[in-house]
Amino acid sequence: MALMEPPAIPVRKAHDGLELPAIGFGTYKVNGFAGAEAIKSALQVGYRLIDSAFNYENEGIVGKAIRESEVPREDIIVASKLPGRHHQYDQARVTIEESVARMGLDYIDLYLIHWPNPSQGQFVEAWQALVDAQQQGIVKHIGVSNFLPGHINLLIRATGVTPAVNQVELHPFFQQNEQRAYDDAHGIITEAWSPLGRANQMLKDPTIVRIAEKHGVSPVAAILRWHLQLGDVAIPKSMHADRQRANLDLTGFALDEQDMQDIAAMDNPEGYTFGQNPHWHEED
C-alpha cells in the first residue's frame, strides 16, 4: 500500500506550542505483531498521532511500528502515559525512562499522567517527574489524563507548569462542557478517549442515525465529525485499514447548527461509560 498524505483535518494547538491533528489513532488492546501491523497501516493511511500507555502493555509494539514505518519519525507524534502505581517521584522517573526504552526511540513526543489517583496524594510529585523528564529531553511535551480542574490547579501552583493536554472520556453521551471550557481557558488541548462511547449503543442511537443518514455517512463518521467541530482531538481505534481510512475521511461534509444542537441535547453530565469518575477512580 502506497504511503498516503495525511488528510486536511484541523490542528489543535496548546499553550506550549504543541500541535496535534484533530484525529489520532488509539492503541488500547492493540498488541502483538498484529497490533504493530495495524499501527503501521494507520500511519500509512495518514494518521500522525499514535496514543499508547504503559498499562496498555504495547509500548514495544508501538515503537516497532514507528521504526518500521515509511513515515519519517519527526512527522509522528507518539504519546504514552504513567500508571497510577508509579506516581512516587523516583518510580515515575524510572517508568518514563522505561517507556522510552521499550519504544526503542530517542524520545517520546507526549507523556501524560494516566489518572490522578487522588487518594494517593502523589500526582503532584508525578507531575514534577514529568517536568524534569521534559527538561532532560526524553519527552517533548507533557500532560495529564482524566484530571479535573482542581487537580490541574494543584499542578500549576506547585510547579508553574501547565499541562499541554488533558485526555478525558468525551463523547455525545458525556460531553464534558465544563472541563473543555477550563482546558480552553488554560491553553490545554482536550483529547477524547472513547470518542464513540459505548459504540454498540451509541451507533444505534436514533439521533445519531438520523444525522448520519441526512449526510449520507456512517454513524461513526457523524460522531467523529461532531468531535472535529467541537474542537477536541478524537483518538478512535481500528485494526482494519479500510475503517482507519474512513475514520479520517471527515472533510467532505459538515454538521449544521441543528445537528450540533441535537447532539448537545444528548449530553448526560454523569454519562461515564464505565463509571470511572476521577473524583474517586483509582488506577493501578
Side-chain angles (χ1 to χ4, degrees):
M1 181 170 57
L3 187 63
M4 300 175 66
E5 285 295 317
I9 60 174
V11 170
R12 313 303 189 201
K13 296 182 180 180
H15 66 87
D16 68 343
L18 173 66
E19 297 185 354
L20 298 182
I23 302 291
F25 186 73
T27 67
Y28 179 58
K29 293 187 177 179
V30 177
N31 300 84
F33 289 162
E37 291 304 314
I39 296 164
K40 283 196 287 185
S41 168
L43 290 167
Q44 197 82 6
V45 303
Y47 290 86
R48 294 296 179 265
L49 169 61
I50 307 296
D51 180 77
S52 180
F54 189 93
N55 271 355
Y56 295 173
E57 298 184 343
N58 67 359
E59 289 173 316
I61 287 301
V62 170
K64 173 181 169 65
I66 290 170
R67 294 193 307 273
E68 295 179 357
S69 172
E70 297 178 45
V71 179
R73 169 67 183 97
E74 61 270 20
D75 293 344
I76 301 169
I77 301 164
V78 60
S80 197
K81 308 181 194 76
L82 180 76
R85 63 188 178 279
H86 293 165
H87 277 194
Q88 190 272 333
Y89 179 86
D90 290 339
Q91 290 180 325
R93 287 301 305 271
V94 169
T95 301
I96 297 165
E97 293 168 1
E98 286 286 349
S99 290
V100 176
R102 288 181 184 192
M103 286 190 172
L105 304 174
D106 292 331
Y107 62 90
I108 291 175
D109 299 271
L110 175 62
Y111 208 88
L112 313 177
I113 302 175
H114 209 155
W115 284 88
N117 282 25
S119 74
Q120 294 180 18
Q122 293 183 314
F123 63 80
V124 171
E125 60 181 291
W127 183 243
Q128 186 64 59
L130 266 67
V131 171
D132 292 345
Q134 182 184 36
Q135 292 175 348
Q136 182 185 350
I138 61 172
V139 296
K140 299 297 185 183
H141 301 272
I142 55 176
V144 293
S145 183
N146 304 298
F147 272 53
L148 300 169
H151 300 143
I152 297 174
N153 286 339
L154 285 173
L155 301 183
I156 297 170
R157 283 204 297 268
T159 67
V161 179
T162 300
V165 168
N166 188 16
Q167 186 183 117
V168 297
E169 180 179 358
L170 200 168
H171 46 73
F173 290 164
F174 188 51
Q175 298 180 23
Q176 295 269 36
N177 293 318
E178 291 183 9
Q179 183 66 62
R180 287 190 293 107
Y182 174 92
D183 292 348
D184 288 347
H186 290 79
I188 300 169
I189 297 170
T190 302
E191 277 190 342
W193 66 259
S194 195
L196 304 177
R198 187 174 283 130
N200 59 356
Q201 177 184 352
M202 189 176 297
L203 299 185
K204 298 175 184 176
D205 182 89
T207 298
I208 296 296
V209 170
R210 176 178 53 76
I211 291 171
E213 290 177 347
K214 171 181 172 180
H215 294 282
V217 298
S218 70
V220 170
I223 295 169
L224 292 177
R225 180 70 205 191
W226 173 78
H227 283 282
L228 209 65
Q229 293 180 212
L230 198 67
D232 62 36
V233 171
I235 45 174
K237 178 193 76 175
S238 177
M239 298 289 285
H240 306 286
D242 55 345
R243 293 178 190 165
Q244 292 171 354
R245 281 192 294 267
N247 288 347
L248 286 176
D249 187 17
L250 303 171
T251 55
F253 71 103
L255 305 187
D256 59 33
E257 185 176 345
Q258 186 62 56
D259 298 330
M260 296 298 287
Q261 290 177 0
D262 290 346
I263 295 178
M266 297 169 61
D267 185 31
N268 174 3
E270 298 299 325
Y272 298 97
T273 298
F274 306 105
Q276 294 173 323
N277 187 324
H279 281 292
W280 54 261
H281 179 73
E282 301 283 314
E283 180 210 39
D284 290 335

